[in-house]
């Protein structure tokens, strides 16, 4: 039989766990709905106002919320509370061939920093050195207690358990990304993570428009999809869901793919296939020193000037893209498909017009930054899911008394 001390400890742990869950519930309410009064928070969360009041005091002492004026509810004034901008930040790092990016997002979802640098990403050790340098630089502007974590977006496969990444595009194989960053920055390994660029970009899009069933598609590296079903990311049995670039859309007469088969969708709408259709190999649009955005500016300018080869490539890519999207729509029946990367950059030619009914197909407004934004949001979500993990002194200056 358990001793009274053990029973008491168990009951205290249960109480603390419930309190932590309620803190997270209130934070998520403010994140989703904006400034709310104590009464509105109680109505939305199902908690009593007597329960909400000390929770708000706790969140304010942690520097996570602040007063935001007053509102009138049922004829009575009430104090509004909101998430405190800049209180806690998440750092997102994104890797793409020839370039690295860093994004800093705060608890409200606002992007506060976005930088990009050229880098020889084909040498993993060099890329990790530069990623560590980018991280240190942004941390100089973010108090150590006020950052939630660092997440890395990788264009390839990742093993989130071991913190390693494999990417044919980057020429990486089982690169120890998390361990490498921890060793170079001195940051605790428990606050470092990684995921695929497509998964993180899909989460960023879902954060902006929380459609329960959403597909994010990019063709920048491989043709890859990320699927959100019933509001949750679908990873698959081996964490490799979404590799739709190898759908065999023309198995008899199509171009051979790197996988050894013919007619894969990636050979028709992947970025390499598209650029080679646009221009000969010596053309500047193939210059690896140019960022993807700079390459798309060149393509767009030529298309707007009526360049026949560019317009033909856009037309054929749009047709092949539509065929594959029809397969995804039939298979997954999503409420929305978001086209990212170069598809979004060339939306005037590649994104089909809006339709009434059925699946909506739209272009990402985040463009090539979607993976980095999603990585930063994934990092800051650590605090949204567990605000009690943040020290009470983390938020810096306090407001004047409880909310």
């Amino acid at each position: 039989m358990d001793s009274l001390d053990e029973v008491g400890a168990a009951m205290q742990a249960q109480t603390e766990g419930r309190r932590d869950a309620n803190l997270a519930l209130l934070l998520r309410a403010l994140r989703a709905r904006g400034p709310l009064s104590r009464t509105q928070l109680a109505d939305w969360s199902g908690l009593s106002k007597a329960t909400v009041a000390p929770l708000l005091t706790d969140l304010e002492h942690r520097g996570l919320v602040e007063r935001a004026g007053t509102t009138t509810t049922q004829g009575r004034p009430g104090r509004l509370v909101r998430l405190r901008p800049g209180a806690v930040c998440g750092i997102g790092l994104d890797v793409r061939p020839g370039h690295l990016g860093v994004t800093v997002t705060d608890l409200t979802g606002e992007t506060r920093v976005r930088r990009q640098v050229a880098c020889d990403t084909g040498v993993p050790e060099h890329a990790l050195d530069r990623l560590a340098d980018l991280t240190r630089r942004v941390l100089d502007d973010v108090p150590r207690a006020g950052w939630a974590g660092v997440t890395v977006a990788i264009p390839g496969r990742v093993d989130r358990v071991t913190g390693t990444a494999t990417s044919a595009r980057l020429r990486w194989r089982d690169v120890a990304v998390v361990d490498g960053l921890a060793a170079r920055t001195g940051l605790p390994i428990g606050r470092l993570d990684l995921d695929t660029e497509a998964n993180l970009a899909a989460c960023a899009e879902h954060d902006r428009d929380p459609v329960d069933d959403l597909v994010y598609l990019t063709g920048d590296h491989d043709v890859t999809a990320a699927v959100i079903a019933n509001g949750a990311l679908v990873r698959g049995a081996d964490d490799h869901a979404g590799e739709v670039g190898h759908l065999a859309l023309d198995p008899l007469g199509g171009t051979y793919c790197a996988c050894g088969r013919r007619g894969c969708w990636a050979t028709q709408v992947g970025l390499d296939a598209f650029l080679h259709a646009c221009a000969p190999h010596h053309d500047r649009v193939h210059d690896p020193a140019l960022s993807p955005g700079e390459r798309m500016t060149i393509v767009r300018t030529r298309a707007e000037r009526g360049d026949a080869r560019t317009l033909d490539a856009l037309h054929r890519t749009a047709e092949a893209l539509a065929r594959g999207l029809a397969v995804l729509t039939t298979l997954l029946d999503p409420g929305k498909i978001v086209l990212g990367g170069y598809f979004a950059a060339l939306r005037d030619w590649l994104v089909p017009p809006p339709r009434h009914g059925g699946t909506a197909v739209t272009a990402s407004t985040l463009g090539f930054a979607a993976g980095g934004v999603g990585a930063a949001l994934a990092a800051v979500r650590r605090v949204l899911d567990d605000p009690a993990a943040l020290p009470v002194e983390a938020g810096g200056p306090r407001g004047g008394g409880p909310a």
Side-chain angles (χ1 to χ4, degrees), residues 267-301:
T267 66
Q268 301 170 17
V269 300
L271 179 59
D272 283 347
F274 171 70
L275 291 178
H276 281 92
C278 283
H281 71 276
H282 55 76
D283 190 277
R284 66 187 296 259
V285 80
H286 298 291
D287 184 355
L290 296 178
S291 70
E294 290 170 327
R295 296 187 190 195
M296 292 307 104
T297 297
I298 295 172
V299 172
R300 174 178 286 276
T301 299

Side-chain angles (χ1 to χ4, degrees), residues 380-401:
V380 84
R381 188 158 293 278
R382 293 166 176 261
V383 172
L384 288 170
D385 291 341
D386 186 13
L390 196 70
V392 172
E393 69 274 16
R398 303 288 177 258

Side-chain angles (χ1 to χ4, degrees), residues 63-141:
L64 299 177
V65 302
E66 65 182 11
R67 294 180 184 180
T70 60
T71 185
T72 301
T73 304
Q74 298 178 346
R76 300 178 61 184
R79 293 175 178 173
L80 288 173
V81 180
R82 68 176 182 179
L83 297 179
R84 192 158 73 84
V88 175
C89 293
I91 300 170
L93 302 172
D94 56 282
V95 186
R96 58 181 59 247
H99 293 85
L100 304 174
V102 60
T103 305
V104 177
T105 300
D106 71 10
L107 202 61
T108 70
E110 179 185 352
T111 297
R112 307 184 73 84
V113 175
R114 173 67 189 170
R115 299 173 188 162
Q116 181 174 287
V117 297
C119 176
D120 181 6
T121 52
V123 182
E125 295 301 310
H126 179 56
L128 289 173
D129 287 342
R130 295 300 305 277
L131 286 173
D133 182 56
L134 285 172
T135 303
R136 284 191 293 266
R137 289 186 182 184
V138 296
L139 279 174
D140 287 341
D141 299 323

Side-chain angles (χ1 to χ4, degrees), residues 9-353:
M11 292 179 65
Q12 182 179 356
Q14 186 178 37
T15 300
E16 290 176 352
R18 188 182 303 114
R19 179 183 175 83
D20 293 350
N22 287 338
L23 287 172
L25 181 63
L26 296 187
L27 269 192
R28 288 196 294 269
L30 293 170
R31 177 73 163 77
R33 304 178 70 87
L36 296 171
S37 68
R38 186 174 70 179
T39 299
Q40 291 169 328
L41 277 168
D43 291 342
W44 189 91
S45 65
L47 303 173
S48 69
K49 287 192 287 185
T51 300
V52 168
L55 293 174
L56 287 177
T57 298
D58 189 332
L59 290 174
E60 188 174 32
H61 286 169
R62 296 177 189 277
L64 299 177
V65 302
E66 65 182 11
R67 294 180 184 180
T70 60
T71 185
T72 301
T73 304
Q74 298 178 346
R76 300 178 61 184
R79 293 175 178 173
L80 288 173
V81 180
R82 68 176 182 179
L83 297 179
R84 192 158 73 84
V88 175
C89 293
I91 300 170
L93 302 172
D94 56 282
V95 186
R96 58 181 59 247
H99 293 85
L100 304 174
V102 60
T103 305
V104 177
T105 300
D106 71 10
L107 202 61
T108 70
E110 179 185 352
T111 297
R112 307 184 73 84
V113 175
R114 173 67 189 170
R115 299 173 188 162
Q116 181 174 287
V117 297
C119 176
D120 181 6
T121 52
V123 182
E125 295 301 310
H126 179 56
L128 289 173
D129 287 342
R130 295 300 305 277
L131 286 173
D133 182 56
L134 285 172
T135 303
R136 284 191 293 266
R137 289 186 182 184
V138 296
L139 279 174
D140 287 341
D141 299 323
V142 178
R144 287 299 178 103
W147 67 283
V150 179
T151 301
V152 188
I154 300 291
R157 292 183 174 184
V158 303
D159 185 328
R160 300 180 70 213
V161 175
T162 62
T164 58
T166 296
S167 171
R169 188 75 179 183
L170 297 174
R171 302 193 300 275
W172 287 15
R173 184 175 180 84
D174 295 329
V175 175
V177 176
V178 170
D179 284 349
L181 276 180
R184 287 167 170 81
T185 60
L187 299 177
I189 201 166
R191 295 172 77 177
L192 305 178
D193 198 6
L194 79 170
D195 208 338
T196 69
E197 180 185 34
N199 282 347
L200 293 167
C203 292
E205 295 292 342
H206 185 259
D207 184 76
R208 291 192 161 202
D209 184 13
V211 176
D212 281 346
D213 295 277
L214 177 147
V215 174
Y216 176 88
L217 180 75
T218 180
D220 295 351
H221 310 293
D222 300 314
V223 177
T224 307
V227 179
I228 292 177
N230 294 323
L233 191 65
V234 176
R235 293 189 175 275
D238 295 320
D239 217 18
H240 297 156
E243 296 186 1
V244 297
H246 298 294
L247 289 171
L249 298 187
D250 189 8
L252 298 180
T255 304
Y256 278 103
C257 179
C259 73
R261 296 181 294 178
R262 294 182 67 172
C264 290
W265 197 20
T267 66
Q268 301 170 17
V269 300
L271 179 59
D272 283 347
F274 171 70
L275 291 178
H276 281 92
C278 283
H281 71 276
H282 55 76
D283 190 277
R284 66 187 296 259
V285 80
H286 298 291
D287 184 355
L290 296 178
S291 70
E294 290 170 327
R295 296 187 190 195
M296 292 307 104
T297 297
I298 295 172
V299 172
R300 174 178 286 276
T301 299
R302 291 175 181 177
E304 291 172 344
R305 291 175 178 173
D307 179 74
R309 179 165 177 168
T310 301
L311 290 173
D312 181 63
L314 286 165
H315 176 71
R316 286 187 284 126
T317 300
E319 288 187 334
L321 184 59
R323 288 195 296 271
L325 290 176
V327 174
L328 294 183
T329 301
T330 301
L331 180 64
L332 300 172
D333 188 26
K336 182 179 181 180
I337 296 177
V338 180
L339 302 181
Y342 97 87
F343 299 142
L346 301 173
R347 68 191 68 197
D348 294 342
W349 296 272
L350 299 181
V351 179

